[in-house]
Amino acid sequence: MRYLIALLGLALILPHPAAAQAYDWRPVNHDTAGMIKAGQYDAARPIIEDALANCPNAVTPTEAGLCTAIFSENLANVREHQGDLIGAEADLRKMVEVRTSVLPANDPLIGQARFFLALFFERHGRRAEEIASLQTAEAIARADGPTQRSEL
């Protein structure tokens, strides 16, 4: 019994490795959204890329997915303004793919992602792809989605 008490006491006084802290991406998103709105694309880009690298450390897999989706959208916005249309489209498609993988099928955030992709197609004269993406977004909107959705 003394041996057990001694072990417990020792366990209490020995230093413990710090628990990995979950990545809180929302404040970073707020800051980078302001930078994008102000046209500070060059300054926002490395912050967004760093955030994307940290998204897997979010508190849950769904949070990690939402983090990846929102920063992919932000990076797409930056790339489009910097003239990298191929990269911007790839990031928007990643946003759609990730939201689709972590949210219920008819979640409004998936419809929103499809709508953002449609707007990209519209800005670049890709009418057929715009219409297809809008139709998918509309189908999700008409399905009324779940009553609760993940918060961005």
Side-chain angles (χ1 to χ4, degrees):
M1 186 68 158
R2 284 185 185 177
Y3 181 72
L4 182 59
I5 293 172
L7 280 177
L8 287 173
L10 187 60
L12 291 174
I13 63 171
L14 288 177
H16 299 339
Q21 194 149 33
Y23 180 59
D24 186 7
W25 55 274
R26 284 176 173 80
V28 180
N29 179 49
H30 182 267
D31 293 345
T32 57
M35 295 170 82
I36 291 169
K37 188 174 182 178
Q40 300 171 340
Y41 305 110
D42 291 337
R45 186 170 181 157
I47 297 168
I48 293 167
E49 290 170 340
D50 183 60
L52 276 166
N54 282 298
C55 285
N57 300 322
V59 69
T60 67
T62 299
E63 282 290 311
L66 292 174
C67 175
T68 300
I70 196 72
F71 285 109
S72 293
E73 177 190 341
N74 290 347
L75 186 56
N77 195 336
V78 167
R79 286 184 180 189
E80 184 177 6
H81 281 90
Q82 293 176 332
D84 180 5
L85 301 184
I86 292 170
E89 181 180 346
D91 289 328
L92 287 172
R93 289 186 182 278
K94 182 175 184 175
M95 172 191 59
V96 171
E97 176 187 325
V98 171
R99 284 189 185 184
T100 301
S101 73
V102 299
L103 296 171
N106 289 325
D107 192 291
L109 289 176
I110 297 171
Q112 179 190 58
R114 292 284 184 181
F115 179 72
F116 290 159
L117 187 59
L119 291 175
F120 175 84
F121 292 143
E122 177 189 38
R123 286 191 298 274
H124 301 288
R126 295 167 60 183
R127 186 87 169 131
E129 290 164 297
E130 172 195 355
I131 291 169
S133 196
L134 283 172
Q135 287 172 334
T136 304
E138 179 185 22
I140 292 168
R142 289 184 184 275
D144 281 335
T147 57
Q148 289 193 338
R149 64 181 175 105
S150 298
E151 212 178 279
L152 281 181

